[in-house]
Amino acid sequence: MKILITGGSGMVGRNLSRYLQAESFRLHAPSRGELDLRNRPAVEAYINELRPDLIIHAAGRVGGIQANISTPYDFLIENLDIGSNVISAAVNAGIPRLLNLGSSCIYPRDRDELLTEDLILQGPLEPTNEGYAIAKIAALRLCEHASRQNPNLSYKTLIPCNLYGPFDKFDPHHAHLIPAVINKVASAAKGGTATVEIWGDGSARREFMFVEDLCKIVATAINRWESLESVTNVGLGHDYSVLEYYEAVAGVIGWTGQFTFDTTKPVGMRRKVVDISRLQKWYSNPKTPLDQGITRTYQYFSEMT
């Protein structure tokens, strides 16, 4: 099977390429330098020439809370362009299957209950990443409408919770929570710093899954395509507090200092954990424990610095 992975140089794309190559799929994962997904004619020409059996759409401009707050227009317009260009090119070329990777940020804010797939567009979005979320919702709906309008197309969406792992971004201005914490705590350990600051009081809760677990689910989706629903959450089904993530990273690194709290800083949604009932009916492999995932991610970080 010939597979095109968009976002080939990103964290998810690179991990998918490594994992799916071991599964013996024929992969094409162009970097931005090879294919600028913001350029619609270039995307259409590439897909028309390649004619893949399946597109895995993993590309997008991503970043943590600081990046989303500082450049919301960029996150919205760039991700809108990327999503619409890839999906429309696939539709126009008649590519039969497309697996779109969404994001749990598409769900309404301030929901204490587990986030089920039917909650999409059922409430206001979190303002700190609204632009990114709107673009991801648009891509999901494009896939649904394309499949509904053309019975020869089967375009489906997985909605992962937050991901982390090798090839992640560790720069605090662009990183998500876990890689940012690894960078901060590792720097404190290296510099002999006694304290590390946490934005907020540490009680906000987040769900992070090791990226290799997503790769296994994607491989299963390729092999069991017909049984996969059109929209499916992917996650752990439980979460941890921000403070617990800091403590877990400190335990892996061996830093024994103290945490301080800046409650004037934004923290985003208080809680965000996806309901995985639909996933569990279809897929039952165990997930990587948090300490093991952080250990492997820290090993990668150490090798890169």
Side-chain angles (χ1 to χ4, degrees), residues 43-196:
V43 174
E44 290 181 345
Y46 187 96
I47 290 176
N48 272 315
E49 181 177 351
L50 183 65
R51 310 297 300 183
D53 301 298
L54 167 69
I55 296 174
I56 301 175
H57 180 40
R61 179 172 180 150
V62 298
I65 189 170
Q66 292 188 58
N68 274 273
I69 290 172
S70 62
T71 56
Y73 171 84
D74 294 343
F75 273 86
L76 175 54
I77 192 67
E78 190 164 334
N79 284 297
L80 275 174
D81 286 346
I82 290 171
S84 64
N85 289 349
V86 170
I87 295 165
S88 66
V91 170
N92 293 339
I95 305 304
R97 294 180 177 182
L98 185 147
L99 184 62
N100 173 50
L101 299 185
S103 167
S104 60
C105 73
I106 68 176
Y107 285 115
R109 63 176 302 188
D110 298 330
R111 298 292 181 107
D112 287 331
E113 73 270 24
L114 297 179
L115 299 169
T116 56
E117 291 87 350
D118 60 358
L119 287 174
I120 298 167
L121 292 177
Q122 297 303 305
L125 300 168
E126 165 56 37
T128 56
N129 58 16
E130 182 186 79
Y132 180 76
I134 289 172
K136 287 297 184 181
I137 291 170
L140 182 151
R141 288 296 195 235
L142 280 173
C143 289
E144 288 185 316
H145 295 329
S147 298
R148 188 175 301 123
Q149 186 169 318
N150 186 340
N152 295 317
L153 304 180
S154 181
Y155 291 5
K156 302 184 179 187
T157 297
L158 296 178
I159 305 176
C161 66
N162 299 303
L163 302 168
Y164 72 101
F167 306 114
D168 216 333
K169 294 179 179 179
F170 295 86
D171 181 337
H173 295 291
H174 302 284
H176 287 291
L177 177 65
I178 289 182
V181 173
I182 288 174
N183 192 349
K184 288 171 66 174
V185 175
S187 297
K190 183 177 181 180
T193 305
T195 61
V196 166

